[in-house]
Amino acid sequence: MEHITLLLAIVVVTALVFDFTNGFHDTANAMATTISTGAMKPKTAVAMSAVLNLIGAFLSVEVAKTISGGIVNEDGIRTEVIFAALVGAILWNLLTWLLGLPSSSSHALFGGLIGAAVMSAGWSSINGGTVVTKVLLPAIAAPLVAGIAAMLATRLTYRINRNVTDPNQQKSTAKGYRAGQIASAGLVSLAHGTNDAQKTMGIITLALVTSGVLAPGSNPPLWVIVSAGIAIALGTYLGGWRIIRTMGKGLTDLKPPQGFAAQTSAATVILASSHLGFSLSTTQSCSGAVMGAGLGRKGGVVRWSTATRMFVAWGLTLPAAGLVGAGAEFLTKQGTWGITVTAILLVGGSFAIWLASRRQPVDHTNVNDTDGDEPQGVVTTAIAAVQPPPVGAPASDLTTTIPAPASAPDDPARPPVKV
């Protein structure tokens, strides 16, 4: 068994950096609704999410096996390809974080890996069937399933409590939903660690296989599982406050019952897919659930302008990360100087994005602030504008006399009014 080389060590460290960005990029998946509804304080929420992400990393390795031996053919893939793929994924993660868009870290990783592999070994290096069945189809189905489930759960929740009119009962019910929301947020965090931490495990395992350190088809070693779990937990604790604001306040205004329904639905979808080895996007699942919960409450509104920007980011993630990964692989193919230039570009691009984020910082103190320039919805506004007045008996002080309009005394076109 060969020793770990310097290049392999760089790839492992870069993979853990991606795992860290995945953590703070996707914190909103578990905690955005909990924070926006006031069920938990922001710093407490991200701390709890970080611990549960770490625990979730040890629950399964099925997704890691899908990535390490499923999406690309291990034969002929060099270690530099993994490095180039991670460059594309990290830069796209940071860019969408800067814009506050909850795009998919998973698809950024897949896009970078596919782009780098095609640049290195051609289209034959990609297992198209695995990409379709375990990446693309879940990407379409997961947000739809989570959204429909959250919408139905929200409607059921409000129907069950429609006859609760006593103020004390309403207060107790609200406390119960907040407790349920905290529990469901913990479940989403556990599911996120189970699904997303494995993606980094799979990438590191793939790098170890391509370097000859592990045999093809091997499971992730224990040190890989531990390091990936710690990296995603640290990133989660940092908190991706920009994306938390978008998912918590930008898509819709949620009440505790809606938050409970959204998070429970998303967690169910994520855990089921992890068990089946489907490497779906937890971001898309949670975003779909949030929109479904927004539509499930009577009078609820989804801000479709924000949702449209998010959909565009989803569609661009795979090709954009793929192009960056392909460009990075083109450089790494040139030899040591190409790898050095790629590393410099990664560090420089990351630093530039961080500097840009300091112009309008978002943290735990202002995460629930809104800019106020996002409309509640064109349809809702139009309906409110044409609502008929309430039906009932007219007030006793109303009269039907309409006084004649007063005219200016010097208006020659209007005859004087006789009294």
Side-chain angles (χ1 to χ4, degrees):
M1 185 178 293
E2 298 181 12
H3 296 291
I4 294 180
T5 63
L6 176 60
L7 176 59
L8 180 57
I10 293 174
V11 171
V12 170
V13 171
T14 307
L16 294 176
V17 170
F18 165 77
D19 203 23
F20 180 80
T21 66
N22 190 353
F24 73 75
H25 192 279
D26 291 0
T27 308
N29 296 343
M31 291 302 169
T33 59
T34 306
I35 292 171
S36 67
T37 60
M40 292 185 74
K41 293 182 178 180
K43 293 296 289 184
T44 305
V46 297
M48 185 185 84
S49 183
V51 172
L52 291 172
N53 265 279
L54 178 60
I55 295 173
F58 292 88
L59 298 183
S60 173
V61 295
E62 291 302 317
V63 175
K65 290 163 65 176
T66 297
I67 293 175
S68 63
I71 292 179
V72 298
N73 297 318
E74 295 169 341
D75 298 335
I77 296 297
R78 301 174 301 116
T79 307
E80 292 89 336
V81 175
I82 313 300
F83 177 59
L86 290 167
V87 170
I90 291 172
L91 289 178
W92 182 255
N93 261 2
L94 292 177
L95 179 61
T96 50
W97 163 76
L98 175 66
L99 299 175
L101 294 174
S103 69
S104 170
S105 298
S106 308
H107 291 175
L109 180 60
F110 300 150
L113 184 60
I114 292 171
V118 170
M119 176 60 70
S120 174
W123 288 101
S124 61
S125 62
I126 306 300
N127 292 324
T130 302
V131 173
V132 172
T133 58
K134 292 202 171 184
V135 178
L136 296 181
L137 291 181
I140 298 172
L144 290 176
V145 173
I148 293 172
M151 182 176 66
L152 295 177
T154 300
R155 291 185 176 178
L156 178 62
T157 298
Y158 278 100
R159 180 175 292 273
I160 291 173
N161 294 283
R162 68 185 184 278
N163 295 324
V164 178
T165 57
D166 182 71
N168 292 328
Q169 289 183 342
Q170 290 177 342
K171 188 175 182 180
S172 299
T173 302
K175 287 183 179 179
Y177 277 120
R178 283 190 172 89
Q181 195 175 2
I182 294 172
S184 61
L187 189 60
V188 174
S189 297
L190 194 69
H192 182 260
T194 303
N195 196 281
D196 279 41
Q198 289 187 59
K199 293 161 188 171
T200 299
M201 298 178 203
I203 283 293
I204 295 176
T205 303
L206 180 60
L208 294 173
V209 170
T210 58
S211 299
V213 178
L214 290 179
S218 299
N219 287 336
L222 179 60
W223 68 267
V224 173
I225 298 174
V226 172
S227 58
I230 292 174
I232 199 169
L234 291 174
T236 301
Y237 182 71
L238 180 65
W241 304 111
R242 293 174 178 271
I243 301 177
I244 290 176
R245 173 185 285 185
T246 299
M247 286 190 67
K249 293 291 187 180
L251 276 175
T252 185
D253 295 320
L254 294 180
K255 306 297 181 183
Q258 294 170 277
F260 173 69
Q263 289 169 322
T264 304
S265 302
T268 302
V269 172
I270 295 168
L271 286 174
S273 67
S274 297
H275 178 71
L276 296 173
F278 292 145
S279 186
L280 56 72
S281 166
T282 56
T283 301
Q284 292 181 0
S285 300
C286 293
S287 299
V290 167
M291 287 187 285
L295 294 173
R297 177 172 63 89
K298 186 178 181 180
V301 174
V302 172
R303 297 182 177 91
W304 292 110
S305 57
T306 301
T308 300
R309 293 198 299 271
M310 186 176 66
F311 295 152
V312 171
W314 290 0
L316 290 176
T317 297
L318 271 171
L323 287 174
V324 177
E329 169 58 16
F330 176 79
L331 287 175
T332 60
K333 288 170 64 175
Q334 310 307 315
T336 303
W337 72 267
I339 297 174
T340 303
V341 170
T342 303
I344 292 174
L345 290 175
L346 173 61
V347 174
S350 302
F351 184 68
I353 292 173
W354 179 81
L355 284 180
S357 72
R358 295 299 86 200
R359 296 176 183 175
Q360 292 182 333
V362 180
D363 55 28
H364 67 282
T365 62
N366 62 355
V367 66
N368 281 332
D369 296 344
T370 54
D371 297 332
D373 57 353
E374 190 68 54
Q376 287 288 318
V378 176
V379 175
T380 302
T381 304
I383 292 174
V386 298
Q387 278 184 338
V391 178
S396 58
D397 57 345
L398 293 179
T399 63
T400 57
T401 303
I402 302 176
S407 58
D410 55 348
D411 185 359
R414 187 184 299 273
V417 179
K418 294 181 180 181
V419 181

